[in-house]
Amino acid sequence: DLPDVGICQDMANFRASTDIQMEHEDQLKLNVFARKTTFLTELKEDLASKKKEAQNLQDAETNLEIQCLDDDSPVPFHIGESFIHVDGERAQQMISQQKEEVEKQVHNLEAQIEKLQTTLGELKRQLYAKLGTAINLEADE
């Protein structure tokens, strides 16, 4: 992974505008910070996708409950690239299993994000303590 362009620009500004000596260890920390920040963004995107998937499964479960009350006909169930027809009870079980798996993935992503944010906070604290306002580690949103 390449360092964030904003952080590279901060490095150039840092060298040009300060008399503080940047050590190799500081550069490594900045590189780690950039990589972890990029990874955090990817995790947040994955989390948003999984939450949407969980909501879609919840909606499907609700719709299936309503449909099963109306009739006993088989319902199409999407697996991979195709659909199979299963009875309503089996479809509910399959949706429930998928929903549990997605909820586990959401929980795992949230835990990873929390851990990564803690790590980034510590790196940010260390870098600001050493380099002060000569660098900007805040996300451009």
Side-chain angles (χ1 to χ4, degrees):
D1 291 324
L2 296 174
D4 187 295
V5 174
I7 291 176
C8 290
Q9 183 63 41
D10 289 339
M11 290 296 303
N13 292 341
F14 171 78
R15 289 186 185 119
S17 67
T18 69
D19 291 332
I20 297 173
Q21 188 67 17
M22 168 125 6
E23 296 174 10
H24 180 69
E25 181 181 319
D26 301 327
Q27 179 64 51
L28 291 176
K29 284 181 182 179
L30 281 170
N31 292 343
V32 167
F33 185 87
R35 283 193 306 275
K36 288 187 181 291
T37 299
T38 300
F39 185 54
L40 178 63
T41 300
E42 292 169 3
L43 286 177
K44 286 181 177 181
E45 289 169 0
D46 290 349
L47 178 61
S49 173
K50 289 296 177 187
K51 284 184 174 182
K52 182 173 176 31
E53 185 178 347
Q55 183 59 50
N56 289 343
L57 288 167
Q58 179 63 45
D59 293 346
E61 190 173 50
T62 302
N63 289 338
L64 187 59
E65 288 171 359
I66 292 169
Q67 181 182 356
C68 286
L69 292 175
D70 295 339
D71 62 61
D72 291 330
S73 62
V75 294
F77 192 85
H78 186 248
I79 296 180
E81 296 288 321
S82 60
F83 286 88
I84 60 170
H85 285 84
V86 297
D87 65 75
E89 186 177 317
R90 177 69 180 133
Q92 284 179 324
Q93 291 172 348
M94 294 168 78
I95 289 173
S96 180
Q97 288 172 344
Q98 285 184 352
K99 200 168 86 170
E100 285 178 25
E101 180 60 33
V102 170
E103 288 170 355
K104 286 178 187 176
Q105 291 170 354
V106 165
H107 179 72
N108 183 34
L109 285 168
E110 288 173 338
Q112 286 180 328
I113 287 170
E114 185 177 330
K115 183 178 178 183
L116 194 52
Q117 286 174 327
T118 300
T119 301
L120 286 170
E122 179 59 24
L123 279 170
K124 189 184 289 189
R125 186 194 62 75
Q126 291 172 9
L127 288 165
Y128 278 138
K130 172 84 188 269
L131 305 173
T133 59
I135 59 170
N136 178 14
L137 301 175
E138 304 308 315
D140 296 329
E141 293 183 24

